[in-house]
Amino acid sequence: MDLKFGVLALLEAKPEKAAELKEFLIGGKAVVDGEPGTRTWYAFQLDDTHFGIFDSFADEDARRAHLGGEIPRALGEVGPALLAKDPELSTVDLLAVKHEQDDARS
């Protein structure tokens, strides 16, 4: 798996909407399961109201397809109700990646 590109989104839920945002993110996995170009996708929680998404891609086309896909569109729809502020979105270039199968070759 040759991963070169990523997206990091940091999200802050309205305190009373944190549980709803958590469920939205958990449900997002089913959506990205249908995106062949999204090689990894993580939804995570940092504390009571801070969450994030990190995804990785082998090429820029796959990253662009994801950014124009269902998850960002859905987040745009539910964001005003669930989020305390606009998401912080960053595209990143991956410098080094460790894979589980890397251990098996040692």
Side-chain angles (χ1 to χ4, degrees):
M1 191 179 337
D2 194 22
L3 302 175
K4 301 279 185 197
F5 302 92
V7 173
L8 176 64
L10 299 176
L11 312 167
E12 182 179 350
K14 294 177 180 177
E16 70 279 8
K17 298 293 185 172
E20 288 179 57
L21 181 58
K22 181 178 180 177
E23 290 306 311
F24 171 82
L25 292 173
I26 291 169
K29 183 186 178 300
V31 174
V32 295
D33 281 346
E35 295 181 356
T38 302
R39 305 293 288 279
T40 65
W41 187 84
Y42 302 89
F44 56 91
Q45 186 169 1
L46 297 165
D47 61 29
D48 289 345
T49 59
H50 292 87
F51 298 82
I53 301 169
F54 177 77
D55 5 65
S56 64
F57 314 88
D59 57 55
E60 181 63 36
D61 289 341
R63 177 164 62 182
R64 273 195 296 268
H66 175 74
L67 288 171
E70 285 188 54
I71 294 286
R73 203 168 16 256
L75 190 56
E77 291 174 11
V78 302
L82 301 182
L83 300 178
K85 62 181 185 175
D86 289 340
E88 294 177 35
L89 182 69
S90 299
T91 56
V92 299
D93 295 330
L94 302 178
L95 303 177
V97 178
K98 184 215 179 277
H99 300 284
E100 187 174 313
Q101 67 265 22
D102 291 344
D103 289 341
R105 289 185 227 160
S106 303

